[in-house]
Amino acid sequence: MPDQPAEPPQMRAQPFTMEHWGLTLPDVDATPETANGPLDEHEQRLLAEAHRAVDNARTARWMLGYSLEVVRRRRLYRGDGTRTWEQYLQQEHDGLSTSEADRLQKTWRLAQTVQKELGRPLPDSHLRKLQPYAERTSDEEAARAYAELYWAHQAGGVRLVANQVQQRVKKAVAAAKGVSDPAERSQVISAAWTTAPDPVMPTQRTETTPEQGGMPRRSPDPVDGALELLNVARQAIENATEDKAARKARSSEEAQRQQDAIRRIGRILSKVKVDADAAPDGNVDADAVDEDGIVDAELVED
């Protein structure tokens, strides 16, 4: 009897695909002559569809954590009855580490809560910095606080970065050090977040003039001028690290060299002191520096 053909592998349920998407490529590229002025209704819909892909990718991140928790708690990973959790992650999730799987399961509830509060998903880097706040209060309180900070930055035309979330969370959490009662600790942290010394609303972007070639207007204080230049450099580094084409072409050795260089700069900045006749001060927030003296991946913003 001839061998029976092997059954085709079972296909997974399909994720967000082009068939579900309302974004199409034009036959001819738009030019400054054919596309100018405010977006019309059709263009606004296309832009919304483009943004939908970004939000879908971020939403899928916390949904992965949710699905991993379902698989683990129901022991669906066992397959034929012998497969372990580690083997499941290796085979079905391209070698996802158990520590990363644990982190995704730990954070998906906060990510979902923030998305409901904010109306859009937050970046994974922001989620990691916000987690300590949620652990000491609640997901709902952390989501409210994050949304407040996010919209304040949006109103000022300033992009909120993960390091700013981290600094504010550290200050709020530090205020409740030694408070054991959960309800009281949550109240102290929430109050510290609201009444933090630094304003919720960040400093507006500095104006530029043609004479300065598009650089920020320099402050009379040379330290402020240097900080403005540092902020420009930080923004340039952030934009460069988000370049997908460069990331694909970059070797792991080059990435490590660049990361080490950024950390060296952070260590140098963390040691800089600014003196005044009245009282000494520092231009780098100590809370933004990790315990081992390494500044978080994003350089400190004043």
Side-chain angles (χ1 to χ4, degrees), residues 125-126 128-129 161-167 170 234 238 259 262-263 266-267 285 287-300:
S125 60
H126 291 205
R128 290 195 298 270
K129 306 304 183 187
V161 298
N163 193 55
Q164 292 168 320
V165 178
Q166 180 190 40
Q167 290 183 56
K170 282 188 174 182
R234 178 198 58 77
E238 285 184 358
Q259 186 67 65
I262 292 174
R263 287 177 174 172
R267 285 194 291 269
D285 190 336
D287 288 339
V289 182
D290 294 338
E291 292 179 358
D292 58 357
I294 297 176
V295 175
D296 191 47
E298 292 163 302
L299 295 182
V300 175

Side-chain angles (χ1 to χ4, degrees), residues 83 102 143:
R83 189 166 62 176
D102 289 345

Side-chain angles (χ1 to χ4, degrees), residues 160-198:
L160 177 63
V161 298
N163 193 55
Q164 292 168 320
V165 178
Q166 180 190 40
Q167 290 183 56
R168 199 170 186 86
V169 167
K170 282 188 174 182
K171 290 178 180 178
V173 168
K177 186 177 181 180
V179 180
S180 57
D181 180 71
E184 184 181 353
R185 182 173 61 239
S186 179
Q187 291 176 356
V188 172
I189 292 174
S190 299
W193 178 278
T194 304
T195 60
D198 56 314

Side-chain angles (χ1 to χ4, degrees), residues 65-106:
Y66 175 84
S67 67
L68 286 170
E69 184 169 339
V70 171
V71 170
R72 180 183 57 80
R73 293 177 61 182
R74 292 182 178 273
R75 298 180 66 85
L76 302 178
Y77 58 81
R78 68 187 189 278
D80 62 1
T82 63
R83 189 166 62 176
T84 65
W85 172 243
E86 291 76 11
Q87 289 172 335
Y88 167 76
L89 295 177
Q90 182 69 31
Q91 296 169 8
E92 304 291 347
H93 291 276
D94 300 319
L96 181 70
S97 68
T98 54
S99 59
E100 178 63 8
D102 289 345
R103 189 186 73 80
L104 289 167
Q105 292 171 79
K106 183 179 179 181

